[in-house]
Amino acid sequence: MTLDSKTNDRSQMMEEFKKEGNQYFQKCKFQEAIQIYSKGIEVEVYDGEKKATNLKVTLLSNRAACYLKEGWFEKCAKDCTQALDLLVQDDVIRCKLLYRRARSWFMLTELGNNLANRNKTLLQDGAKDLLQLLSIDAKNAEAATLLHAIRAKHDLQKGTPISQTLNTLKEATNDEDKLQQCNVLLGLITNDESFALDVGRCKGIPLLLELGSAKALQVLSCASSNPRFTQEYGIEISQQRLKDLVLISTSSKELAMPCISVWLRLVLYLDPLNNPLDAISLVNQHLLLQSCRASFSNPDLLPATLDVLCTWTTLSREDVVRSSTMSQQYFPNLYTQTELRKLKPREVATIKKDEYERQKRDKELAKQRAIYFCKEGGLSDLLEQTIKNCHVSMPLRKQIGLVLGRILSSIQDEEDTKSIVQTFIGSTYATIEEVIEEKTELDIKSDRLEHLTMRAFLVTSLLFSQSEVAAWGLIQIKDDISELIRSGEPIAMAVASELVSAAASNEKARPSISYLIKNGSLQTLVEHPEQSIRSGAASAIAKLGLAAEDRNSRDDEENNMELLQIATELLDDSDELDPKELQQSLKTETNRHLKRIAKNTEQNTVTTTSIERGIEVLGYLASKSNIKEELAHGFRCPIDAPKTALQRLVELASIPGASESISSYALATIFGLIAVSNETLRKEAFADKDISMEQYDELQALGKTEEEKAETVDKIPDDNPEAVQERIRKLANANVAEAMVKLIEGGSDTTIEAVVIGLNRMATESSVRGLMIQQGVLSVCIKLESDKINATAQVMKDKKNKITQQAHQCVARLLITTNPAILTTSQRMGAIRPLMQLVRDNTASDLQHFEALLAITNLASTGHDAKDKIVSEKGIPTLSYAMFSDHELVRTAGTEAMCNLIPHPAMMKYLSDAENLRLWLAFAASYEENFECARAALGCLAMSTDVQDVAEILVGLKTFRESALSLLESGKLELMHRVLVMIQNLMLQGDKCIKEVEAAGILAFCHAYVQSYHDGSKLRNLEFDPEQKGLMSVTIALAKDICKK
């Protein structure tokens, strides 16, 4: 292509050069692109040629981009300046030019070939360009980042507070001065996280590591909490030095904790998780594991060490990030569904492919690390320290078990896992521990007991993650459990208690521990004075009893009462924590770590304290009818206890932060079970099935003899509706609804679902609805919208929809009988949207539709504001659709709800349509099929015919005469009453309506009706009750009035 070939059209020529240059640019052939762009720029452009001028600006901008890519920063800045001088109006190109020129000037300062004054000028000019850019596009992230870098470098050259403090720290000669300067650094970084980067720029990392004091390491830990600092300068942090510091300071939490914290940041930000798929980890796994193993001996360091270990081995990075204040912008690939919907299909496919490859890589990496941890002594060290160290508490021991479970689950393959744990579980004491002759018999017994305890603890950890391997391991150590229980040693008995509790939750593991009930071992644990030991055994007995076929027998009821006593005692911890202390315990690091780890295990319940274990036991017992009655009617143990078990449960659920505790789901479940009968529970279980409960029972009965059928009936507990209603009233008076509302804020999806289901069950009792509204149930259910709950997988979406559906049904039930006048305006108006959504929900049941329609009818009666809100929520098409439901009651409720919208203008407009009126008249005439629906439809026609347009359209229908006369002759007084009111209104709407009424024979009917019953003699002979006689008199009076008119 030459200039001569396009002399007649300069703009066309420049356009061709631009397209050709762009093709080279897309192929990353920047030098070829520069040559083509240059040819286009050389084309002469005259004043006034707007299109050609704009093309020249574009060519200059594109060539500047190429110069920037090639590192020719002076030329890039020159092209940007020339283009900006030519540019008239185009903010998009202006922003690009300003950014490229600022970038070029910044990169020139990085080359180090300029004098200090020139560097200062370049940085100032770059900052001006970026400020101008941000005034046009305030959300430009690249410009904001570059501006931050320019300002940081400018400040560095003139001396920042960090650089000045570090210089003073270098010159400090005594420990007091060094401590003071470290405190200054810590304060600067804490108040402004951007100062963390200055620590790296000013070579502060080697200085802080060399000092090696607790305060210096705290400064480094604080700086490393900034992701950008760790990503840019983390490689400079000597991991060997970190390991050495941990090794020499394991007895000092103050010194070792900052080192462990830095390790965690290195794992988070230098691991391949944030790098391309082919990147290698920049974290030395040998040094990291040595640091972790050294920390195992100090219980104070264990929670933080377990966080590092779990994050590194299982790649559970998101758990740590989301539980901290760290910015998630440094963690790509955390796309929400909203963000994904905005992308193009090809972009979504690329993201999903990358995510699949990343997950595949991460699983393999997690497996390698888990195996490395186990084979390099990490597993044995952690087991040994957990059992031998008497300072390891039950909550911490539980956390260790969960972390071990997750690490072992990362191995994935069951056979690989078995081969690793075989050394511990599959071997006897004599084969792995050399017996020294000098040891006494007592020492040998003690060592054997420690070994058996470690085996039991390891199997407990497996029960949290790999049920198949755990069931195998439980068989291997089956004979050890009784020995641990008989030993009398607190730690051995506590581990045995935790083991049987976890095993009882696993269907495959239950057979291996069921013999412990028969030989009295579990009873030994239940009678132990220590609550943590007693609670685990009680939990196991409750779970095993629930799974047993004869769980409704008399003996089982006696056992349940014994377990109820134990669980109630556990609710009052021996330490007698007051509410403030208990609230603080819920916020401890151990509890938070445990809750975060536990959500990824196979166990539904993972308890940490005696109180939580007591709640767990009650969660299993609350399915028993006799236990429900005891709890609702004030059971307490001991008999002189200041609070009942129910009061204590309400208190625990009401503590701030209780919704984030491990027991929140169990608390909500207990309340929900008390408020429902066992029969209703069974019906709920069949709700989503293709077979009903009754059909299932019939199929089961086909294979039973008459004696077996009689025995089955005898086992059904007495849990009648009256008893359930009384329990619900007891719950409401005990402020259970208010406590459940508090469990929603901050609760998990599972907890929220259990709460909403429980509240829904309570709302079935009409006498407590007002009290529930006062306790905040209505407001919280209105606010509970599905789009406010994060969901990713389709299964999770379905769960969120179910929660929302249940919440909307609870709103409906509360408002069916409640006087709307006692509600606040926000409650009345706010309830309409969820009710309308429930009516439109195709997955909702007929009962849910029916209850929502009744509530809408109730709200519509309050006035014009409610009617306006219903109409604005597409109420008319929604309610009219409900009128055609297959269910008779839903049709009736929909019709009544529509009636209550009269006289809203939108409703009257709807009725002014002849086709709509014809349908309503047809509904009214079908009284033999659905009397209630016909009565409601007639009521609507009676109210709407006082509007002349509606009245004239109605009498003009072909079916009017036949339908009206048929309804009058039906003999149904309620229908006759509504028809006569309708006729009375029609007689007032002009000659057209009067003529149609007369032509239909309605006036003749009225005359005959009055003649027959006007004197009341025939009425006395009719066998009517007082209400019917009164209604008969009303209809006669209406007929007389019509005849007069």
Side-chain angles (χ1 to χ4, degrees):
M1 183 184 296
T2 63
L3 289 173
D4 293 335
S5 62
K6 297 292 182 180
T7 53
N8 296 327
D9 193 342
R10 285 186 291 273
S11 296
Q12 183 64 31
M13 185 188 305
M14 296 172 75
E15 185 69 38
E16 293 294 331
F17 283 129
K18 186 186 81 169
K19 289 181 179 179
E20 187 177 353
N22 289 349
Q23 291 176 358
Y24 282 116
F25 186 89
Q26 291 170 1
K27 297 176 183 178
C28 296
K29 296 182 178 181
F30 302 120
Q31 294 189 18
E32 290 85 345
I34 289 172
Q35 294 177 7
I36 300 301
Y37 289 142
S38 298
K39 291 180 180 180
I41 293 169
E42 290 173 1
V43 176
E44 188 174 359
V45 177
Y46 298 102
D47 293 340
E49 291 184 334
K50 184 177 179 180
K51 183 177 180 180
T53 302
N54 290 338
L55 282 169
K56 187 167 186 176
V57 169
T58 302
L59 289 166
L60 285 166
S61 176
N62 291 355
R63 189 171 72 175
C66 293
Y67 284 145
L68 189 61
K69 292 284 186 181
E70 291 291 306
W72 298 341
F73 304 122
E74 291 276 9
K75 292 182 178 181
C76 175
K78 183 178 179 181
D79 273 4
C80 291
T81 301
Q82 185 180 351
L84 287 167
D85 291 339
L86 293 173
L87 187 63
V88 180
Q89 287 183 346
D90 193 330
D91 286 342
V92 175
I93 294 181
R94 187 179 300 279
C95 288
K96 290 180 180 179
L97 291 168
L98 290 171
Y99 177 79
R100 287 168 186 164
R101 187 166 69 176
R103 182 76 181 173
S104 298
W105 284 337
F106 175 73
M107 295 306 297
L108 285 171
T109 65
E110 292 285 293
L111 297 178
N113 299 326
N114 303 303
L115 296 175
N117 289 338
R118 173 164 167 74
N119 278 345
K120 183 177 180 180
T121 302
L122 290 172
L123 291 172
Q124 289 175 343
D125 291 343
K128 289 178 183 178
D129 280 352
L130 292 171
L131 288 172
Q132 184 181 351
L133 188 161
L134 290 170
S135 68
I136 300 170
D137 181 9
K139 295 183 179 180
N140 193 309
E142 289 184 336
T145 303
L146 182 57
L147 180 61
H148 179 81
I150 288 175
R151 285 175 169 172
K153 185 161 188 175
H154 185 267
D155 292 342
L156 191 63
Q157 291 184 350
K158 69 179 182 180
T160 65
I162 292 290
S163 64
Q164 295 170 359
T165 307
L166 286 172
N167 289 332
T168 306
L169 180 61
K170 288 179 186 177
E171 298 170 358
T173 56
N174 58 67
D175 292 341
E176 185 177 347
D177 290 342
K178 293 177 181 178
L179 177 63
Q180 181 180 356
Q181 296 308 313
C182 286
N183 281 326
V184 172
L185 287 172
L186 197 59
L188 289 170
I189 299 172
T190 303
N191 293 328
D192 188 349
E193 64 176 12
S194 64
F195 278 136
L197 297 173
D198 288 348
V199 174
R201 295 191 191 105
C202 299
K203 312 301 180 185
I205 295 174
L207 176 62
L208 294 170
L209 285 171
E210 182 63 29
L211 283 176
S213 65
K215 191 60 69 173
L217 292 172
Q218 285 180 31
V219 174
L220 188 58
S221 173
C222 185
S224 64
S225 65
N226 184 315
R228 286 187 58 196
F229 169 85
T230 307
Q231 288 174 351
E232 291 184 28
Y233 302 104
I235 301 175
E236 297 181 19
I237 299 176
S238 171
Q239 297 175 34
Q240 178 66 46
R241 176 64 174 161
L242 276 182
K243 187 267 295 183
D244 293 341
L245 287 171
V246 173
L247 290 177
I248 64 176
S249 61
T250 52
S251 59
S252 171
K253 179 181 178 181
E254 184 181 8
L255 189 59
M257 187 63 80
C259 295
I260 296 172
S261 176
V262 174
W263 272 121
L264 177 60
R265 267 60 181 204
L266 292 176
V267 170
L268 281 171
Y269 306 127
L270 292 184
D271 234 13
L273 284 167
N274 300 311
N275 299 321
L277 294 175
D278 58 349
I280 61 172
S281 176
L282 299 175
V283 180
N284 187 309
Q285 64 179 11
H286 177 68
L287 296 175
L288 173 62
L289 184 56
Q290 282 188 302
S291 298
C292 291
R293 290 175 65 185
S295 304
F296 291 161
S297 59
N298 188 340
D300 291 333
L301 301 177
L302 263 176
T305 305
L306 292 173
D307 244 356
V308 176
L309 197 59
C310 192
T311 304
W312 177 68
T313 54
T314 66
L315 308 182
S316 55
R317 167 195 64 155
E318 286 85 354
D319 292 338
V320 179
V321 174
R322 291 191 176 108
S323 66
S324 69
T325 57
M326 303 174 195
S327 175
Q328 293 188 26
Q329 64 176 308
Y330 302 101
F331 297 92
N333 306 318
L334 298 178
Y335 290 96
T336 64
Q337 290 297 309
T338 302
E339 291 170 338
L340 285 174
R341 282 195 291 268
K342 294 179 180 178
L343 300 177
K344 296 178 180 178
R346 182 175 296 179
E347 294 173 329
V348 174
T350 302
I351 290 171
K352 290 185 176 180
K353 181 182 178 182
D354 290 345
E355 186 62 24
Y356 170 76
E357 294 294 335
R358 193 178 302 278
Q359 289 177 1
K360 183 179 176 181
R361 185 278 314 268
D362 290 350
K363 284 183 179 180
E364 183 59 32
L365 185 59
K367 178 179 179 179
Q368 294 173 7
R369 291 179 177 179
I371 294 174
Y372 178 82
F373 166 79
C374 295
K375 291 187 174 181
E376 293 299 318
L379 177 59
S380 58
D381 280 2
L382 189 54
L383 284 173
E384 184 177 349
Q385 290 298 331
T386 302
I387 301 306
K388 288 187 176 182
N389 197 327
C390 61
H391 299 293
V392 176
S393 62
M394 175 192 163
L396 185 54
R397 189 164 59 244
K398 182 69 72 172
Q399 184 184 350
I400 295 169
L402 286 168
V403 170
L404 280 181
R406 289 197 68 186
I407 292 173
L408 293 171
S409 68
S410 298
I411 299 175
Q412 302 169 39
D413 185 78
E414 292 181 5
E415 293 303 319
D416 289 342
T417 306
K418 286 181 181 180
S419 66
I420 287 175
V421 301
Q422 177 78 27
T423 307
F424 302 91
I425 295 176
S427 303
T428 62
Y429 168 73
T431 61
I432 67 168
E433 181 72 41
E434 182 180 355
V435 179
I436 303 174
E437 294 181 0
E438 288 78 5
K439 283 189 175 183
T440 65
E441 184 179 351
L442 184 62
D443 291 335
I444 295 173
K445 286 184 177 180
S446 176
D447 290 347
R448 171 179 169 77
L449 186 63
E450 284 182 356
H451 174 64
L452 297 182
T453 307
M454 282 192 284
R455 282 157 52 103
F457 182 74
L458 183 55
V459 173
T460 305
S461 302
L462 287 169
L463 282 165
F464 294 142
S465 56
Q466 294 197 41
S467 56
E468 295 284 350
V469 181
W472 163 83
L474 201 56
I475 294 173
Q476 308 299 312
I477 67 164
K478 184 177 179 180
D479 297 332
D480 299 346
I481 304 175
S482 296
E483 186 174 344
L484 291 174
I485 296 173
R486 291 194 305 269
S487 69
E489 287 294 325
I491 292 182
M493 297 183 74
V495 170
S497 176
E498 293 165 16
L499 172 61
V500 296
S501 177
S505 301
N506 189 308
E507 184 178 356
K508 296 179 180 179
R510 287 184 195 126
S512 298
I513 62 167
S514 58
Y515 76 97
L516 296 172
I517 294 181
K518 298 176 182 178
N519 68 11
S521 296
L522 284 184
Q523 190 63 31
T524 302
L525 293 176
V526 167
E527 294 172 356
H528 196 277
E530 189 173 328
Q531 283 190 339
S532 61
I533 297 175
R534 193 166 70 247
S535 62
S539 173
I541 293 174
K543 296 170 188 175
L544 291 172
L546 189 68
E549 293 182 358
D550 61 342
R551 58 181 179 271
N552 290 317
S553 66
R554 180 173 298 179
D555 291 340
D556 192 52
E557 288 188 5
E558 292 177 359
N559 291 334
N560 291 341
M561 288 304 300
E562 182 179 357
L563 291 174
L564 176 61
Q565 293 174 8
I566 295 172
T568 305
E569 290 176 356
L570 291 174
L571 294 182
D572 288 313
D573 202 342
S574 58
D575 295 333
E576 300 239 344
L577 293 177
D578 63 31
K580 290 184 179 180
E581 291 173 334
L582 192 54
Q583 176 186 350
Q584 190 62 34
S585 73
L586 288 170
K587 295 182 178 180
T588 61
E589 282 298 314
T590 300
N591 198 301
R592 285 202 295 269
H593 292 331
L594 188 55
K595 182 173 184 289
R596 189 171 68 243
I597 296 168
K599 71 179 182 180
N600 294 304
T601 66
E602 292 186 5
Q603 293 280 44
N604 291 326
T605 55
V606 183
T607 55
T608 60
T609 66
S610 295
I611 291 176
E612 289 173 340
R613 185 61 62 74
I615 295 172
E616 181 190 28
V617 174
L618 287 176
Y620 282 93
L621 293 176
S623 62
K624 319 283 187 176
S625 298
N626 63 322
I627 300 300
K628 296 178 188 180
E629 289 294 314
E630 292 288 348
L631 288 173
H633 290 83
F635 178 85
R636 64 182 76 210
C637 186
I639 195 65
D640 57 348
K643 296 177 182 176
T644 66
L646 183 60
Q647 289 173 331
R648 184 63 173 148
L649 289 171
V650 170
E651 183 182 67
L652 292 169
S654 302
I655 295 171
S659 61
E660 300 178 14
S661 72
I662 296 170
S663 295
S664 58
Y665 171 76
L667 286 166
T669 301
I670 292 168
F671 296 140
L673 287 172
I674 297 174
V676 69
S677 68
N678 290 337
E679 183 180 5
T680 303
L681 278 176
R682 292 189 67 225
K683 288 182 179 179
E684 289 178 358
F686 283 92
D688 300 326
K689 304 294 188 298
D690 295 330
I691 186 174
S692 67
M693 182 188 75
E694 292 78 10
Q695 291 171 328
Y696 175 81
D697 289 341
E698 288 176 5
L699 290 174
Q700 291 293 307
L702 291 176
K704 293 181 179 180
T705 64
E706 293 300 324
E707 292 78 6
E708 288 174 332
K709 293 179 182 178
E711 185 179 350
T712 302
V713 173
D714 291 339
K715 285 183 178 181
I716 298 176
D718 184 17
D719 200 12
N720 55 66
E722 292 75 17
V724 175
Q725 292 170 358
E726 181 60 25
R727 291 203 300 265
I728 292 175
R729 287 191 284 268
K730 295 285 186 182
L731 291 177
N733 291 329
N735 296 324
V736 166
E738 184 177 0
M740 293 178 78
V741 166
K742 293 178 180 177
L743 289 176
I744 290 180
E745 186 64 34
S748 65
D749 297 340
T750 307
T751 299
I752 294 174
E753 182 181 19
V755 168
V756 174
I757 290 174
L759 293 173
N760 221 341
R761 291 168 179 169
M762 288 184 65
T764 57
E765 172 54 35
S766 59
S767 64
V768 304
R769 289 169 181 165
L771 185 56
M772 289 179 67
I773 291 173
Q774 292 177 18
Q775 294 178 6
V777 176
L778 178 61
S779 298
V780 77
C781 287
I782 289 173
K783 296 175 182 176
L784 199 60
E785 296 286 348
S786 60
D787 58 355
K788 296 179 181 178
I789 310 174
N790 293 324
T792 51
Q794 184 62 43
V795 175
M796 293 301 294
K797 286 183 179 179
D798 294 341
K799 186 174 183 180
K800 303 300 186 294
N801 292 336
K802 183 180 178 182
I803 293 173
T804 307
Q805 190 180 85
Q806 289 280 343
H808 292 174
Q809 185 182 15
C810 188
V811 172
R813 285 180 172 172
L814 290 172
L815 297 179
I816 290 174
T817 57
T818 301
N819 183 359
I822 69 172
L823 305 176
T824 64
T825 302
S826 61
Q827 287 175 331
R828 284 197 303 272
M829 298 296 105
I832 291 173
R833 172 172 290 181
L835 291 174
M836 297 305 300
Q837 289 176 346
L838 185 57
V839 175
R840 286 193 290 266
D841 189 351
N842 292 329
T843 65
S845 65
D846 289 328
L847 176 61
Q848 290 172 323
H849 287 154
F850 176 67
E851 290 173 335
L853 290 166
L854 292 183
I856 291 170
T857 302
N858 191 17
L859 290 175
S861 65
T862 59
H864 293 294
D865 290 343
K867 292 181 174 66
D868 286 338
K869 180 66 174 175
I870 293 172
V871 171
S872 69
E873 293 291 339
K874 300 180 180 179
I876 291 177
T878 300
L879 298 178
S880 62
Y881 180 78
M883 291 173 60
F884 294 91
S885 169
D886 293 334
H887 199 282
E888 182 178 305
L889 291 177
V890 176
R891 291 201 302 273
T892 302
T895 307
E896 290 176 346
M898 288 284 280
C899 291
N900 269 21
L901 292 181
I902 295 174
H904 192 278
M907 183 63 184
M908 301 314 296
K909 181 180 179 181
Y910 165 83
L911 291 173
S912 297
D913 186 300
E915 184 61 25
N916 292 333
L917 267 183
R918 186 185 65 78
L919 289 173
W920 277 83
L921 189 58
F923 270 98
S926 60
Y927 59 87
E928 292 183 352
E929 298 175 10
N930 189 338
F931 177 80
E932 300 294 336
C933 187
R935 183 178 63 179
L938 267 177
C940 176
L941 294 175
M943 290 186 290
S944 61
T945 46
D946 61 354
V947 175
Q948 186 172 358
D949 291 343
V950 176
E952 290 181 352
I953 295 172
L954 177 63
V955 297
L957 297 175
K958 294 180 179 180
T959 56
F960 169 73
R961 298 181 182 182
E962 180 183 353
S963 298
L965 196 58
S966 172
L967 287 164
L968 286 171
E969 295 174 347
S970 66
K972 309 289 185 182
L973 288 174
E974 290 184 83
L975 300 182
M976 292 174 63
H977 174 234
R978 285 165 171 74
V979 174
L980 290 170
V981 171
M982 179 184 72
I983 300 302
Q984 190 179 42
N985 289 335
L986 292 174
M987 298 294 289
L988 299 173
Q989 302 306 328
D991 292 342
K992 180 179 178 181
C993 293
I994 294 172
K995 290 179 181 178
E996 287 295 331
V997 169
E998 187 174 2
I1002 295 174
L1003 291 181
F1005 173 87
C1006 290
H1007 281 292
Y1009 186 60
V1010 172
Q1011 287 295 326
S1012 298
Y1013 297 102
H1014 72 283
D1015 59 357
S1017 58
K1018 290 186 178 180
L1019 181 60
R1020 287 191 291 270
N1021 296 329
L1022 298 175
E1023 296 180 356
F1024 283 173
D1025 58 33
E1027 183 179 353
Q1028 289 178 310
K1029 288 181 179 180
L1031 188 56
M1032 182 78 171
S1033 300
V1034 172
T1035 57
I1036 294 171
L1038 286 170
K1040 287 180 180 179
D1041 185 64
I1042 292 170
C1043 292
K1044 290 179 181 178
K1045 292 179 180 177

